[in-house]
Amino acid sequence: MNGLWQTEESRVELLKTLVKHDSITHSTGEKSFPDLIKSELLKLDYFNAHSNHIYFAHTEDDRRAVLAHYAGSENKDTVVLISHFDTVGIDDFGEYKQHAFDMDKITDIFKSDHTYLNDDAVADIKTGHYYFGRGSMDMKPGLVLHMSLIEKAALENWDVNLLLVTVPDEEVGSKGMLAAVKKINEIRKEKDLNIVLHLNSEPTFQQAPGNNTHYVYTGTIGKLMPAVYVYGKETHVGNAMNGLSSNYIMSFINKNMEYNNSFIERYEDEETPLPVSLMMRDLKAHYDVQTPFRTVSLYNLFIFKQNASEIFNTFNTIVKDSVDEVNEVIQTFDDGIYKEETVNVNVCTYEELLQQAIDKFGEDKVSELLESVSNNQDDHLQCIEAIDKIMMLMRHLGPTVVTFFTPPYYPATNSSEDILVQNIVETIKETSDTLNRNVEQVHFFNGICDLSYVKYATSYESDRVFSLNTPTFNKTYMIPFEDIKEISAPVLNCGPIGKDAHKVTERLLKPSAFKELPVILETVIKQYFVK
């Protein structure tokens, strides 16, 4: 059968082409990469004749996701093929940075120079079965597989709908996927499609050195970023008892939050990692002898079943208990202000703080204040600035702790108990047996991925709590919860074997990517969805 990408060799060449196009998140290459994909797709007879089946979905910062629809003749069942094309940076390649996107060159370099390789990588490169290079594993091979699959469908006139979706920004905030979700729903409505599966092909995450098991994931881990802003009372360091250090208050909160095993969730033999602070700092711009009075901490929380509302309830309880400890201890201080008056640290949510500010100063004043927040910074910094501006306005409240959320939010999704997905996993195992590859199921992909946004697994109350306690929500950050509800379908992540995502030793197992996975994906689509 003729075709552009239907042989192992042609898939390798396509991957080399895609990897060579630098598409680091936020780079100019990331912005131009969609044009490369469109030009490649237009080489296929199907899309040359149906160029209006190729779409772009735009983020607010002018990056684009690419969507390409292969339409069945009568069947409305639709499999959405999800991938991302952005990559992390290349500083870790050191003196070989200029070759990081050339799989042939960097693989040859690493064959003779093992300086950057660990023992497992040295063993792998000696086999000749691996390609190295940035994007060689995470995750341009998945995109190649989907392009090859959609070409095969067109060549053989499969009666099924395949919607290829490849997005930017997955490695940072998933703005590409959040824009694509709305476009997927538009196409679904326009063409009356019935979405039956969202199939991602992120590479497998190996569980141990030397492990070449193929893992198939029936869900993806969730991630939330609850945060704390502490407003204390400033003073000269020589009169420390005349104020209250925000760092001191935060130390109690952090002691009770980081590595707190009460947040651990379990599903069969899998469990979530412990919470840690990803950023904790006071907001002093420079050194001086004024005690810090504004401090923030952002916490990373992984979830399996819980949603924003449930996490926020637990988080607020821990913060309030921590502040109770602070209030108890500061009453024992025997100097300065604490002899003269009682000081208590207040606790409130962002939603509550915002309402208090509106009640006192009016909605116009508060809106004007929030509109002055700079958009030329990351979402989490915008959230901090918004709260900081409001608390400076509301300083009459005295020492106050504000709880809130910062982006990004990845809801957890899990289709492990879905009958269709269970059957597909069995088919993947059976097919892999014929290819002499062992397959194991993992319930939650632990690398965080865009499948979080295609199966609705939260609730109205969770969505409300998150949106009202995230200062940038509906401004510079948005999750289209209603669109997610409408395109919601089972999820599956089945991609090639790779190792060391986000490391200089990132690499792809050639037989898995170019020989085995094309057979596995084709078998799944034909057996379950082609009419």
Side-chain angles (χ1 to χ4, degrees):
M1 177 184 60
N2 294 325
L4 292 179
W5 311 311
Q6 298 307 307
T7 65
E8 292 179 47
E9 294 76 17
S10 60
R11 294 184 193 107
V12 169
E13 290 308 309
L14 177 59
L15 180 60
K16 289 178 182 178
T17 298
L18 301 189
V19 169
K20 278 185 178 178
H21 188 113
D22 165 8
S23 54
I24 295 172
T25 314
H26 292 306
S27 69
T28 56
E30 183 192 32
K31 287 190 173 183
S32 60
F33 192 87
D35 297 316
L36 170 63
I37 296 304
K38 182 175 181 178
S39 68
E40 290 292 332
L41 290 172
L42 287 174
K43 293 177 182 178
L44 304 181
D45 291 341
Y46 179 84
F47 287 111
N48 191 41
H50 300 86
S51 59
N52 61 332
H53 285 203
I54 300 176
Y55 310 84
F56 291 131
H58 297 261
T59 67
E60 76 284 349
D61 55 1
D62 296 324
R63 287 177 287 175
R64 295 170 294 166
V66 184
L67 297 87
H69 177 215
Y70 166 77
S73 55
E74 297 181 12
N75 186 8
K76 291 295 184 181
D77 286 354
T78 304
V79 177
V80 181
L81 307 172
I82 298 170
S83 64
H84 70 86
F85 55 77
D86 64 314
T87 74
V88 296
I90 56 173
D91 286 345
D92 49 342
F93 282 82
E95 62 184 306
Y96 300 128
K97 281 172 62 173
Q98 71 270 31
H99 304 303
F101 299 110
D102 187 329
M103 296 197 308
D104 286 328
K105 182 69 173 178
I106 198 67
T107 303
D108 283 342
I109 288 172
F110 286 161
K111 283 178 182 176
S112 57
D113 184 353
H114 295 171
T115 305
Y116 291 82
L117 308 186
N118 54 34
D119 290 344
D120 190 41
V122 170
D124 284 345
I125 204 165
K126 288 179 178 179
T127 67
H129 294 158
Y130 285 84
Y131 274 125
F132 286 66
R134 180 63 77 232
S136 65
M137 175 250 197
D138 185 13
M139 73 158 293
K140 289 177 179 177
L143 174 55
V144 168
L145 288 166
H146 294 170
M147 292 170 72
S148 174
L149 186 66
I150 212 166
E151 181 192 29
K152 186 72 173 289
L155 288 170
E156 297 185 352
N157 295 312
W158 296 356
D159 189 9
V160 68
N161 292 272
L162 299 178
L163 182 60
L164 182 146
V165 179
T166 189
V167 302
D169 195 52
E170 192 269 354
E171 300 292 5
V172 177
S174 285
K175 290 184 177 180
M177 191 62 199
L178 293 172
V181 163
K182 298 179 75 66
K183 193 67 178 180
I184 293 170
N185 200 23
E186 287 178 19
I187 297 169
R188 181 193 67 83
K189 291 176 180 177
E190 176 190 341
K191 301 189 177 184
D192 192 29
L193 301 178
N194 175 37
I195 298 176
V196 291
L197 182 71
H198 293 285
L199 174 64
N200 202 338
S201 291
E202 286 269 12
T204 64
F205 276 38
Q206 298 315 104
Q207 305 297 306
N211 180 2
N212 285 328
T213 297
H214 179 215
Y215 295 97
V216 57
Y217 306 86
T218 49
T220 185
I221 199 168
K223 169 190 166 78
L224 274 163
M225 291 279 286
V228 181
Y229 171 102
V230 175
Y231 190 94
K233 182 174 175 60
E234 73 279 11
T235 187
H236 189 287
V237 71
N239 295 299
M241 291 297 99
N242 287 329
L244 184 57
S245 163
S246 55
N247 286 349
Y248 180 75
I249 300 171
M250 185 65 80
S251 69
F252 284 75
I253 297 169
N254 196 64
K255 171 178 68 73
N256 293 327
M257 262 304 300
E258 281 207 280
Y259 306 110
N260 185 328
N261 60 16
S262 69
F263 285 100
I264 291 179
E265 291 187 64
R266 294 174 178 83
Y267 187 95
E268 295 190 6
D269 60 347
E270 298 172 30
E271 68 177 33
T272 57
L274 291 166
V276 293
S277 174
L278 286 182
M279 187 187 88
M280 183 166 62
R281 64 182 68 156
D282 62 58
L283 301 184
K284 290 179 66 171
H286 52 77
Y287 166 82
D288 59 26
V289 290
Q290 182 190 57
T291 57
F293 65 100
R294 294 131 65 225
T295 302
V296 295
S297 187
L298 279 51
Y299 294 95
N300 187 91
L301 275 175
F302 288 115
I303 51 177
F304 280 168
K305 293 183 179 180
Q306 295 189 83
N307 57 39
S309 176
E310 294 163 332
I311 288 294
F312 207 46
N313 284 337
T314 305
F315 184 67
N316 279 312
T317 297
I318 290 171
V319 171
K320 287 174 182 175
D321 288 346
S322 302
V323 171
D324 285 345
E325 289 183 56
V326 175
N327 285 328
E328 183 177 343
V329 171
I330 62 178
Q331 303 312 320
T332 67
F333 291 171
D334 59 2
D335 195 7
I337 188 172
Y338 302 107
K339 276 289 188 182
E340 299 171 6
E341 61 179 276
T342 300
V343 173
N344 277 294
V345 181
N346 307 302
V347 181
C348 66
T349 65
Y350 174 72
E351 179 186 4
E352 292 166 343
L353 176 67
L354 186 63
Q355 189 58 55
Q356 290 180 54
I358 291 171
D359 290 344
K360 186 170 181 64
F361 295 100
E363 193 161 353
D364 290 344
K365 171 73 172 177
V366 175
S367 295
E368 181 182 350
L369 194 69
L370 292 176
E371 286 171 6
S372 71
V373 173
S374 171
N375 292 338
N376 297 320
Q377 55 186 335
D378 291 340
D379 280 305
H380 67 279
L381 296 177
Q382 292 180 46
C383 289
I384 292 167
E385 184 184 342
I387 295 174
D388 196 38
K389 285 179 179 289
I390 295 174
M391 268 309 303
M392 296 296 273
L393 188 68
M394 299 287 287
R395 60 179 291 124
H396 62 273
L397 293 177
T400 301
V401 171
V402 184
T403 59
F404 62 106
F405 284 112
T406 71
Y409 174 23
Y410 290 84
T413 60
N414 186 4
S415 296
S416 299
E417 297 170 19
D418 184 274
I419 298 300
L420 171 64
V421 170
Q422 290 175 354
N423 290 336
I424 290 174
V425 170
E426 287 307 309
T427 296
I428 291 172
K429 290 180 176 179
E430 292 167 3
T431 306
S432 298
D433 282 344
T434 67
L435 301 168
N436 297 315
R437 179 72 62 190
N438 180 48
V439 171
E440 292 182 15
Q441 178 184 357
V442 176
H443 298 291
F444 290 93
F445 179 73
N446 62 357
I448 308 172
C449 79
D450 286 332
L451 288 179
S452 285
Y453 304 117
V454 292
K455 184 178 186 293
Y456 188 75
T458 57
S459 68
Y460 171 80
E461 177 61 14
S462 172
D463 301 345
R464 187 195 71 81
V465 167
F466 180 79
S467 62
L468 293 179
N469 287 286
T470 304
T472 58
F473 197 83
N474 275 341
K475 296 179 180 69
T476 58
Y477 184 77
M478 220 281 276
I479 297 177
F481 290 115
E482 291 303 315
D483 289 290
I484 293 172
K485 285 181 185 177
E486 294 183 13
I487 68 168
S488 184
V491 300
L492 185 71
N493 189 9
C494 183
I497 295 171
K499 295 183 180 180
D500 290 354
H502 298 189
K503 296 183 180 182
V504 68
T505 47
E506 173 184 350
R507 58 198 184 277
L508 177 72
L509 183 60
K510 299 177 190 178
S512 175
F514 305 120
K515 180 179 179 181
E516 298 163 18
L517 261 296
V519 174
I520 291 169
L521 297 184
E522 178 180 342
T523 300
V524 168
I525 300 299
K526 280 186 171 180
Q527 184 165 328
Y528 290 95
F529 304 112
V530 174
K531 295 293 173 71

mmCIF file with all atom_site columns, all heavy atoms in Angstrom, residues 279-292:
data_model
loop_
_atom_site.group_PDB
_atom_site.id
_atom_site.type_symbol
_atom_site.label_atom_id
_atom_site.label_alt_id
_atom_site.label_comp_id
_atom_site.label_asym_id
_atom_site.label_entity_id
_atom_site.label_seq_id
_atom_site.pdbx_PDB_ins_code
_atom_site.Cartn_x
_atom_site.Cartn_y
_atom_site.Cartn_z
_atom_site.occupancy
_atom_site.B_iso_or_equiv
_atom_site.pdbx_formal_charge
_atom_site.auth_seq_id
_atom_site.auth_comp_id
_atom_site.auth_asym_id
_atom_site.auth_atom_id
_atom_site.pdbx_PDB_model_num
ATOM 1   N N   . MET A 1 279 ? 7.021  27.297 45.655 1.00 0.00 ? 279 MET A N   1
ATOM 2   C CA  . MET A 1 279 ? 7.570  28.641 45.784 1.00 0.00 ? 279 MET A CA  1
ATOM 3   C C   . MET A 1 279 ? 7.173  29.187 47.139 1.00 0.00 ? 279 MET A C   1
ATOM 4   O O   . MET A 1 279 ? 6.004  29.152 47.507 1.00 0.00 ? 279 MET A O   1
ATOM 5   C CB  . MET A 1 279 ? 7.038  29.572 44.686 1.00 0.00 ? 279 MET A CB  1
ATOM 6   C CG  . MET A 1 279 ? 7.706  30.935 44.673 1.00 0.00 ? 279 MET A CG  1
ATOM 7   S SD  . MET A 1 279 ? 6.917  32.075 43.518 1.00 0.00 ? 279 MET A SD  1
ATOM 8   C CE  . MET A 1 279 ? 5.664  32.776 44.575 1.00 0.00 ? 279 MET A CE  1
ATOM 9   N N   . MET A 1 280 ? 8.145  29.675 47.901 1.00 0.00 ? 280 MET A N   1
ATOM 10  C CA  . MET A 1 280 ? 7.836  30.353 49.158 1.00 0.00 ? 280 MET A CA  1
ATOM 11  C C   . MET A 1 280 ? 8.817  31.508 49.305 1.00 0.00 ? 280 MET A C   1
ATOM 12  O O   . MET A 1 280 ? 10.030 31.301 49.289 1.00 0.00 ? 280 MET A O   1
ATOM 13  C CB  . MET A 1 280 ? 7.940  29.413 50.352 1.00 0.00 ? 280 MET A CB  1
ATOM 14  C CG  . MET A 1 280 ? 7.553  30.089 51.663 1.00 0.00 ? 280 MET A CG  1
ATOM 15  S SD  . MET A 1 280 ? 7.273  28.926 53.025 1.00 0.00 ? 280 MET A SD  1
ATOM 16  C CE  . MET A 1 280 ? 8.895  28.183 53.168 1.00 0.00 ? 280 MET A CE  1
ATOM 17  N N   . ARG A 1 281 ? 8.271  32.713 49.430 1.00 0.00 ? 281 ARG A N   1
ATOM 18  C CA  . ARG A 1 281 ? 9.142  33.884 49.513 1.00 0.00 ? 281 ARG A CA  1
ATOM 19  C C   . ARG A 1 281 ? 8.380  35.060 50.099 1.00 0.00 ? 281 ARG A C   1
ATOM 20  O O   . ARG A 1 281 ? 7.152  35.130 50.010 1.00 0.00 ? 281 ARG A O   1
ATOM 21  C CB  . ARG A 1 281 ? 9.666  34.273 48.131 1.00 0.00 ? 281 ARG A CB  1
ATOM 22  C CG  . ARG A 1 281 ? 8.579  34.725 47.166 1.00 0.00 ? 281 ARG A CG  1
ATOM 23  C CD  . ARG A 1 281 ? 9.117  35.056 45.783 1.00 0.00 ? 281 ARG A CD  1
ATOM 24  N NE  . ARG A 1 281 ? 9.602  33.882 45.092 1.00 0.00 ? 281 ARG A NE  1
ATOM 25  C CZ  . ARG A 1 281 ? 9.691  33.797 43.757 1.00 0.00 ? 281 ARG A CZ  1
ATOM 26  N NH1 . ARG A 1 281 ? 9.331  34.818 43.001 1.00 0.00 ? 281 ARG A NH1 1
ATOM 27  N NH2 . ARG A 1 281 ? 10.142 32.705 43.186 1.00 0.00 ? 281 ARG A NH2 1
ATOM 28  N N   . ASP A 1 282 ? 9.144  35.982 50.719 1.00 0.00 ? 282 ASP A N   1
ATOM 29  C CA  . ASP A 1 282 ? 8.500  37.237 51.087 1.00 0.00 ? 282 ASP A CA  1
ATOM 30  C C   . ASP A 1 282 ? 8.568  38.172 49.883 1.00 0.00 ? 282 ASP A C   1
ATOM 31  O O   . ASP A 1 282 ? 9.277  37.909 48.910 1.00 0.00 ? 282 ASP A O   1
ATOM 32  C CB  . ASP A 1 282 ? 9.154  37.853 52.327 1.00 0.00 ? 282 ASP A CB  1
ATOM 33  C CG  . ASP A 1 282 ? 10.611 38.202 52.115 1.00 0.00 ? 282 ASP A CG  1
ATOM 34  O OD1 . ASP A 1 282 ? 10.905 38.995 51.202 1.00 0.00 ? 282 ASP A OD1 1
ATOM 35  O OD2 . ASP A 1 282 ? 11.466 37.686 52.865 1.00 0.00 ? 282 ASP A OD2 1
ATOM 36  N N   . LEU A 1 283 ? 7.803  39.237 49.928 1.00 0.00 ? 283 LEU A N   1
ATOM 37  C CA  . LEU A 1 283 ? 7.665  40.110 48.762 1.00 0.00 ? 283 LEU A CA  1
ATOM 38  C C   . LEU A 1 283 ? 8.529  41.363 48.846 1.00 0.00 ? 283 LEU A C   1
ATOM 39  O O   . LEU A 1 283 ? 8.296  42.328 48.118 1.00 0.00 ? 283 LEU A O   1
ATOM 40  C CB  . LEU A 1 283 ? 6.194  40.492 48.574 1.00 0.00 ? 283 LEU A CB  1
ATOM 41  C CG  . LEU A 1 283 ? 5.228  39.313 48.361 1.00 0.00 ? 283 LEU A CG  1
ATOM 42  C CD1 . LEU A 1 283 ? 3.815  39.807 48.083 1.00 0.00 ? 283 LEU A CD1 1
ATOM 43  C CD2 . LEU A 1 283 ? 5.698  38.401 47.231 1.00 0.00 ? 283 LEU A CD2 1
ATOM 44  N N   . LYS A 1 284 ? 9.525  41.332 49.720 1.00 0.00 ? 284 LYS A N   1
ATOM 45  C CA  . LYS A 1 284 ? 10.472 42.451 49.759 1.00 0.00 ? 284 LYS A CA  1
ATOM 46  C C   . LYS A 1 284 ? 11.275 42.476 48.459 1.00 0.00 ? 284 LYS A C   1
ATOM 47  O O   . LYS A 1 284 ? 11.786 41.450 48.014 1.00 0.00 ? 284 LYS A O   1
ATOM 48  C CB  . LYS A 1 284 ? 11.410 42.319 50.956 1.00 0.00 ? 284 LYS A CB  1
ATOM 49  C CG  . LYS A 1 284 ? 10.744 42.540 52.305 1.00 0.00 ? 284 LYS A CG  1
ATOM 50  C CD  . LYS A 1 284 ? 11.723 42.367 53.464 1.00 0.00 ? 284 LYS A CD  1
ATOM 51  C CE  . LYS A 1 284 ? 12.790 43.436 53.450 1.00 0.00 ? 284 LYS A CE  1
ATOM 52  N NZ  . LYS A 1 284 ? 13.613 43.401 54.692 1.00 0.00 ? 284 LYS A NZ  1
ATOM 53  N N   . ALA A 1 285 ? 11.388 43.645 47.889 1.00 0.00 ? 285 ALA A N   1
ATOM 54  C CA  . ALA A 1 285 ? 12.108 43.765 46.616 1.00 0.00 ? 285 ALA A CA  1
ATOM 55  C C   . ALA A 1 285 ? 13.615 43.851 46.822 1.00 0.00 ? 285 ALA A C   1
ATOM 56  O O   . ALA A 1 285 ? 14.390 43.593 45.902 1.00 0.00 ? 285 ALA A O   1
ATOM 57  C CB  . ALA A 1 285 ? 11.615 44.990 45.852 1.00 0.00 ? 285 ALA A CB  1
ATOM 58  N N   . HIS A 1 286 ? 14.049 44.227 48.027 1.00 0.00 ? 286 HIS A N   1
ATOM 59  C CA  . HIS A 1 286 ? 15.477 44.388 48.277 1.00 0.00 ? 286 HIS A CA  1
ATOM 60  C C   . HIS A 1 286 ? 15.730 44.302 49.777 1.00 0.00 ? 286 HIS A C   1
ATOM 61  O O   . HIS A 1 286 ? 14.809 44.334 50.598 1.00 0.00 ? 286 HIS A O   1
ATOM 62  C CB  . HIS A 1 286 ? 15.976 45.738 47.737 1.00 0.00 ? 286 HIS A CB  1
ATOM 63  C CG  . HIS A 1 286 ? 15.155 46.912 48.212 1.00 0.00 ? 286 HIS A CG  1
ATOM 64  N ND1 . HIS A 1 286 ? 15.266 47.446 49.478 1.00 0.00 ? 286 HIS A ND1 1
ATOM 65  C CD2 . HIS A 1 286 ? 14.184 47.622 47.582 1.00 0.00 ? 286 HIS A CD2 1
ATOM 66  C CE1 . HIS A 1 286 ? 14.417 48.441 49.613 1.00 0.00 ? 286 HIS A CE1 1
ATOM 67  N NE2 . HIS A 1 286 ? 13.739 48.576 48.480 1.00 0.00 ? 286 HIS A NE2 1
ATOM 68  N N   . TYR A 1 287 ? 16.993 44.224 50.130 1.00 0.00 ? 287 TYR A N   1
ATOM 69  C CA  . TYR A 1 287 ? 17.378 44.139 51.540 1.00 0.00 ? 287 TYR A CA  1
ATOM 70  C C   . TYR A 1 287 ? 17.200 45.486 52.235 1.00 0.00 ? 287 TYR A C   1
ATOM 71  O O   . TYR A 1 287 ? 17.580 46.535 51.713 1.00 0.00 ? 287 TYR A O   1
ATOM 72  C CB  . TYR A 1 287 ? 18.837 43.700 51.665 1.00 0.00 ? 287 TYR A CB  1
ATOM 73  C CG  . TYR A 1 287 ? 19.405 43.914 53.056 1.00 0.00 ? 287 TYR A CG  1
ATOM 74  C CD1 . TYR A 1 287 ? 19.167 42.989 54.069 1.00 0.00 ? 287 TYR A CD1 1
ATOM 75  C CD2 . TYR A 1 287 ? 20.147 45.061 53.352 1.00 0.00 ? 287 TYR A CD2 1
ATOM 76  C CE1 . TYR A 1 287 ? 19.665 43.197 55.348 1.00 0.00 ? 287 TYR A CE1 1
ATOM 77  C CE2 . TYR A 1 287 ? 20.648 45.268 54.625 1.00 0.00 ? 287 TYR A CE2 1
ATOM 78  C CZ  . TYR A 1 287 ? 20.399 44.329 55.624 1.00 0.00 ? 287 TYR A CZ  1
ATOM 79  O OH  . TYR A 1 287 ? 20.884 44.543 56.880 1.00 0.00 ? 287 TYR A OH  1
ATOM 80  N N   . ASP A 1 288 ? 16.617 45.456 53.419 1.00 0.00 ? 288 ASP A N   1
ATOM 81  C CA  . ASP A 1 288 ? 16.648 46.588 54.334 1.00 0.00 ? 288 ASP A CA  1
ATOM 82  C C   . ASP A 1 288 ? 16.343 46.054 55.732 1.00 0.00 ? 288 ASP A C   1
ATOM 83  O O   . ASP A 1 288 ? 16.208 44.843 55.928 1.00 0.00 ? 288 ASP A O   1
ATOM 84  C CB  . ASP A 1 288 ? 15.673 47.710 53.924 1.00 0.00 ? 288 ASP A CB  1
ATOM 85  C CG  . ASP A 1 288 ? 14.226 47.255 53.858 1.00 0.00 ? 288 ASP A CG  1
ATOM 86  O OD1 . ASP A 1 288 ? 13.863 46.277 54.560 1.00 0.00 ? 288 ASP A OD1 1
ATOM 87  O OD2 . ASP A 1 288 ? 13.437 47.859 53.108 1.00 0.00 ? 288 ASP A OD2 1
ATOM 88  N N   . VAL A 1 289 ? 16.250 46.936 56.722 1.00 0.00 ? 289 VAL A N   1
ATOM 89  C CA  . VAL A 1 289 ? 16.060 46.469 58.097 1.00 0.00 ? 289 VAL A CA  1
ATOM 90  C C   . VAL A 1 289 ? 14.603 46.567 58.550 1.00 0.00 ? 289 VAL A C   1
ATOM 91  O O   . VAL A 1 289 ? 14.306 46.598 59.732 1.00 0.00 ? 289 VAL A O   1
ATOM 92  C CB  . VAL A 1 289 ? 16.984 47.233 59.075 1.00 0.00 ? 289 VAL A CB  1
ATOM 93  C CG1 . VAL A 1 289 ? 18.420 46.831 58.840 1.00 0.00 ? 289 VAL A CG1 1
ATOM 94  C CG2 . VAL A 1 289 ? 16.790 48.745 58.957 1.00 0.00 ? 289 VAL A CG2 1
ATOM 95  N N   . GLN A 1 290 ? 13.695 46.609 57.587 1.00 0.00 ? 290 GLN A N   1
ATOM 96  C CA  . GLN A 1 290 ? 12.276 46.457 57.905 1.00 0.00 ? 290 GLN A CA  1
ATOM 97  C C   . GLN A 1 290 ? 11.945 44.970 57.887 1.00 0.00 ? 290 GLN A C   1
ATOM 98  O O   . GLN A 1 290 ? 12.358 44.240 56.985 1.00 0.00 ? 290 GLN A O   1
ATOM 99  C CB  . GLN A 1 290 ? 11.404 47.190 56.881 1.00 0.00 ? 290 GLN A CB  1
ATOM 100 C CG  . GLN A 1 290 ? 9.914  47.110 57.184 1.00 0.00 ? 290 GLN A CG  1
ATOM 101 C CD  . GLN A 1 290 ? 9.065  47.629 56.023 1.00 0.00 ? 290 GLN A CD  1
ATOM 102 O OE1 . GLN A 1 290 ? 9.169  47.128 54.903 1.00 0.00 ? 290 GLN A OE1 1
ATOM 103 N NE2 . GLN A 1 290 ? 8.253  48.654 56.291 1.00 0.00 ? 290 GLN A NE2 1
ATOM 104 N N   . THR A 1 291 ? 11.204 44.489 58.877 1.00 0.00 ? 291 THR A N   1
ATOM 105 C CA  . THR A 1 291 ? 10.839 43.075 58.898 1.00 0.00 ? 291 THR A CA  1
ATOM 106 C C   . THR A 1 291 ? 9.858  42.783 57.767 1.00 0.00 ? 291 THR A C   1
ATOM 107 O O   . THR A 1 291 ? 9.026  43.627 57.414 1.00 0.00 ? 291 THR A O   1
ATOM 108 C CB  . THR A 1 291 ? 10.189 42.687 60.246 1.00 0.00 ? 291 THR A CB  1
ATOM 109 O OG1 . THR A 1 291 ? 9.053  43.526 60.470 1.00 0.00 ? 291 THR A OG1 1
ATOM 110 C CG2 . THR A 1 291 ? 11.179 42.830 61.386 1.00 0.00 ? 291 THR A CG2 1
ATOM 111 N N   . PRO A 1 292 ? 9.933  41.614 57.161 1.00 0.00 ? 292 PRO A N   1
ATOM 112 C CA  . PRO A 1 292 ? 8.996  41.274 56.088 1.00 0.00 ? 292 PRO A CA  1
ATOM 113 C C   . PRO A 1 292 ? 7.565  41.180 56.622 1.00 0.00 ? 292 PRO A C   1
ATOM 114 O O   . PRO A 1 292 ? 7.341  40.620 57.698 1.00 0.00 ? 292 PRO A O   1
ATOM 115 C CB  . PRO A 1 292 ? 9.499  39.917 55.590 1.00 0.00 ? 292 PRO A CB  1
ATOM 116 C CG  . PRO A 1 292 ? 10.291 39.357 56.712 1.00 0.00 ? 292 PRO A CG  1
ATOM 117 C CD  . PRO A 1 292 ? 10.884 40.519 57.437 1.00 0.00 ? 292 PRO A CD  1
#
